[in-house]
Amino acid sequence: MMTSSNGPARLSRTVTDSPLGPLTLVALDGALAGLYMDGRAPDAVDAAGAAAGADAAVLAETSRQLAEYFDGERQSFDVPLALDGTVFQHRVWDALRGIGYGETVSYGQLADQIGRPTAARAVGLANGRNPVSIIVPCHRVVGSDGSLTGYGGGLDNKQRLLELERRVSRVSAGWPDGTPRPRPAAARS
């Protein structure tokens, strides 16, 4: 159960459309507290009320930024977050935000990055408890062999997110078909 300094938290929610299907967005005290796909939201979210005030504003801004992301116009998010988790989970979620757009890392590499090289499984568990998928890009973590493994929104959605980011990254690095742009003569060696 989420709590705020005033006791049990009052969650607000809305549903926004996406190429992956409806996304349920949850706010708490003017910050994004959840993003869930395919009706996978925890039971507490079902009791969340309609958004008003600061919660309505953060949910509208999150919806706008998600639309930009899916249109290939945004590579990171800057909405305030209210993430309910342990200190270790927060370390993992912070590290997830450092994975570049269109890039992937393994659970072991992420464990190394947070200074816990033997904690790949624990990193995987923390990754799976990320309450704001896409915003905190847990879809960018793959198996040690590069295979797609576990994703709360479903492996099909994980693959679609990674393909979107790779496609946008290729286009931004070159021509629309992904071929590299020629370098100016002065830049050639």
Side-chain angles (χ1 to χ4, degrees), residues 5-156:
S5 58
N6 299 325
R10 183 194 174 284
L11 300 174
S12 301
R13 74 179 174 129
T14 192
V15 176
T16 189
D17 290 326
S18 83
L20 305 178
L23 301 176
T24 301
L25 306 178
V26 180
L28 170 67
D29 296 331
L32 184 69
L35 186 158
Y36 304 98
M37 298 178 206
D38 297 330
R40 297 172 191 239
D43 292 338
V45 171
D46 290 335
D55 284 355
V58 77
L59 294 175
E61 179 61 16
T62 302
S63 293
R64 185 185 71 76
Q65 290 188 24
L66 283 165
E68 291 174 352
Y69 170 83
F70 286 115
D71 287 342
E73 299 170 0
R74 175 176 287 276
Q75 296 186 1
S76 63
F77 298 88
D78 58 8
V79 293
L81 301 175
L83 305 181
D84 188 27
T86 67
V87 170
F88 180 79
Q89 288 169 337
H90 278 269
R91 284 180 62 196
V92 171
W93 299 337
D94 288 344
L96 290 172
R97 295 180 82 187
I99 303 170
Y101 182 88
E103 298 176 7
T104 58
V105 300
S106 71
Y107 294 97
Q109 288 170 320
L110 198 57
D112 283 342
Q113 288 177 16
I114 66 166
R116 300 280 305 270
T118 61
R121 286 183 186 221
V123 164
L125 291 172
N127 198 48
R129 295 198 187 279
N130 171 18
V132 289
S133 59
I134 305 173
I135 305 294
V136 173
C138 54
H139 61 276
R140 296 179 187 155
V141 183
V142 297
S144 60
D145 62 357
S147 62
L148 298 187
T149 59
Y151 186 62
L155 289 180
D156 287 346

Side-chain angles (χ1 to χ4, degrees), residues 156-175:
D156 287 346
N157 284 337
K158 182 173 187 167
Q159 183 170 351
R160 291 172 70 191
L161 291 167
L162 291 172
E163 286 173 356
L164 165 74
E165 292 184 5
R166 287 182 184 129
R167 186 175 59 249
V168 170
S169 293
R170 281 193 309 267
V171 169
S172 63
W175 300 108

